[in-house]
Amino acid sequence: MDDGLEQSWWANMPHELLREVLLRIESSEAKWPRRRSVVACAGVCRTWRLIIKEIVRPPQLSSNITFPISLKQPGPREHLLQCFIRRNNGTQTYYLFLSLSSALADDGKFLLAARKFRRPTCTDYIISLDSDYMSRESNAYIGKLRSNFLGTKFTVYDIQLPHSRANMAKSCSTKLVNPKQVSPKVPAGNYPVAHISYELNVLGSRGPRRMHCVIDSIPASAIEPERVAPSQTSYSVSNIGTSFPFFQTNSTHMENSISGEQNNKRDDVLVLRNKAARWHEQMQCWCLNFHGRVTVASVKNFQLTALPVNGHAEPQEDDVILQFGKVGKDLFTMDYRYPISAFQAFAICLSSFATTVACE
């Protein structure tokens, strides 16, 4: 059969029949690597792509990471999404994977990569969708983490606005890009979406570090049960190629809630802080309960919770939004949940690799 005729036949299937077929595929292929079938369906033709866009739910509702845009959307509300980071000290690169099993180390599904670049007055971590080419000139570049000279303060930059109604100033380091690479509706640049600071540790290497994260792109009220954190629904880059299926996700179920929040007076932003470790007399060390997800003691290990607002009680054990810890020489677990995204969580964890002895 001619390729053109075959494509036309698939595209012209009765809509209800096609939708039922794609629904069954989406529900049966819930986990990677089998979930690549869902991605393949989205690449058949425009009709299939629109239906897949409609039925694939964001991570917040499905606990699944399907397309690249999922990395910029909030994680699941009910539980931590388990990931891990592999470090290559020789090349100063870091690779984020989605865990495919409960084991602390498996093959994983590649999500993001970052490379460290030292500059005279700061250090940059370039974050990319490509595991081999990590550069701001790459179409796979989606943001960066920048530290100050001392390695005590960090800023997370996104190449586009964190959501369509955001009102944020570009960084002065905004780079001119090829106009063919971006959507005319979304300006490209470096938008500061989070700030991370580490306090000087007066206990020296004997005590854990103190972290403070301000997520400028998320209102503090987003953690309340009936509220929804704003998120991106499409990437600005449009000529990535078939290996990076960039297209919009269906956000209809969120639009009304987000619109209402944005029309109100701007809420205070979300602030995260690390949980205080407890001194264990028998082990003679500082301890946190990672529920088996961390096995090696390290000053880099941390758990972040939201700063209480509106007089709410202190966060409970189940309120951890991001946890990061060492399980091997160059292997670390990274578990995150709503309201932050995988991109934001990865950038925060990169700061733990970059902090200097001044914070330890």
Side-chain angles (χ1 to χ4, degrees):
M1 182 183 291
D2 182 88
D3 288 345
L5 291 175
E6 184 174 0
Q7 183 173 351
S8 175
W9 185 86
W10 285 109
N12 292 321
M13 283 182 64
H15 187 274
E16 292 303 319
L17 174 61
L18 178 58
R19 179 180 170 81
E20 180 63 27
V21 170
L22 295 180
L23 272 171
R24 293 190 179 190
I25 294 174
E26 198 278 334
S27 61
S28 64
E29 312 297 339
K31 302 295 181 183
W32 289 93
R34 295 179 61 185
R35 196 155 180 80
R36 63 166 60 100
S37 299
V38 179
V39 178
C41 288
V44 171
C45 63
R46 183 175 182 273
T47 301
W48 285 47
R49 183 162 60 250
L50 291 175
I51 295 176
I52 287 291
K53 182 185 81 170
E54 180 184 342
I55 65 178
V56 171
R57 298 184 300 169
Q60 177 185 338
L61 302 177
S62 66
S63 299
N64 280 329
I65 292 179
T66 305
F67 302 111
I69 190 59
S70 305
L71 301 170
K72 293 286 191 73
Q73 297 174 333
R77 274 187 180 268
E78 303 302 325
H79 62 88
L80 292 165
L81 196 59
Q82 296 183 346
C83 307
F84 62 92
I85 297 173
R86 292 189 184 276
R87 174 179 63 182
N88 186 327
N89 272 326
T91 58
Q92 296 286 282
T93 50
Y94 305 83
Y95 302 91
L96 175 65
F97 296 86
L98 176 68
S99 296
L100 301 182
S101 69
S102 58
L104 293 179
D106 55 34
D107 292 338
K109 166 69 175 73
F110 171 76
L111 300 178
L112 291 169
R115 172 165 289 169
K116 183 178 182 178
F117 291 89
R118 293 186 181 275
R119 309 193 187 282
T121 59
C122 63
T123 299
D124 282 348
Y125 287 78
I126 301 300
I127 302 175
S128 172
L129 290 160
D130 193 326
S131 60
D132 298 318
Y133 185 39
M134 286 157 273
S135 167
R136 289 189 62 189
E137 282 67 44
S138 168
N139 281 339
Y141 168 66
I142 62 170
K144 69 179 180 182
L145 173 75
R146 169 165 288 184
S147 77
N148 63 356
F149 179 75
L150 294 177
T152 56
K153 296 184 184 298
F154 301 81
T155 303
V156 180
Y157 294 95
D158 198 328
I159 62 167
Q160 66 186 91
L161 289 170
H163 52 91
S164 60
R165 298 175 181 87
N167 183 18
M168 308 180 80
K170 286 186 184 181
S171 163
C172 60
S173 61
T174 297
K175 178 175 71 72
L176 292 176
V177 297
N178 185 343
K180 294 181 180 180
Q181 296 178 358
V182 298
S183 164
K185 297 181 180 179
V186 183
N190 284 324
Y191 296 92
V193 295
H195 294 82
I196 308 155
S197 61
Y198 289 81
E199 296 181 21
L200 181 65
N201 194 339
V202 296
L203 295 177
S205 59
R206 295 176 299 163
R209 294 183 289 196
R210 298 180 63 184
M211 294 177 64
H212 190 264
C213 303
V214 178
I215 314 296
D216 304 273
S217 56
I218 303 177
S221 62
I223 62 174
E224 297 176 6
E226 301 302 321
R227 307 299 283 271
V228 177
S231 67
Q232 295 179 11
T233 57
S234 65
Y235 275 107
S236 60
V237 179
S238 59
N239 63 338
I240 295 291
T242 56
S243 61
F244 298 108
F246 283 79
F247 51 80
Q248 295 182 350
T249 57
N250 187 3
S251 59
T252 305
H253 57 279
M254 296 186 183
E255 286 179 356
N256 291 337
S257 177
I258 294 175
S259 177
E261 289 187 15
Q262 297 302 322
N263 289 334
N264 295 331
K265 183 179 179 180
R266 183 178 180 274
D267 292 335
D268 291 336
V269 296
L270 179 69
V271 178
L272 306 179
R273 66 179 181 187
N274 64 308
K275 288 186 67 174
R278 297 180 179 178
W279 179 255
H280 196 292
E281 284 293 342
Q282 292 181 336
M283 299 177 64
Q284 289 293 295
C285 65
W286 296 94
C287 295
L288 284 168
N289 185 5
F290 288 93
H291 301 282
R293 290 286 293 164
V294 176
T295 59
V296 180
S298 171
V299 71
K300 293 180 173 61
N301 300 347
F302 66 79
Q303 291 179 320
L304 294 182
T305 58
L307 196 67
V309 293
N310 300 329
H312 290 178
E314 287 291 311
Q316 302 300 311
E317 191 74 28
D318 295 336
D319 293 335
V320 171
I321 290 174
L322 171 62
Q323 67 178 22
F324 171 79
K326 193 171 185 178
V327 294
K329 181 182 178 182
D330 292 304
L331 186 64
F332 304 79
T333 54
M334 185 201 89
D335 304 335
Y336 77 99
R337 61 186 285 266
Y338 177 92
I340 66 173
S341 66
F343 166 72
Q344 292 165 336
F346 186 43
I348 292 171
C349 291
L350 288 173
S351 73
S352 189
F353 292 113
T355 48
T356 66
V357 72
C359 301
E360 300 181 359

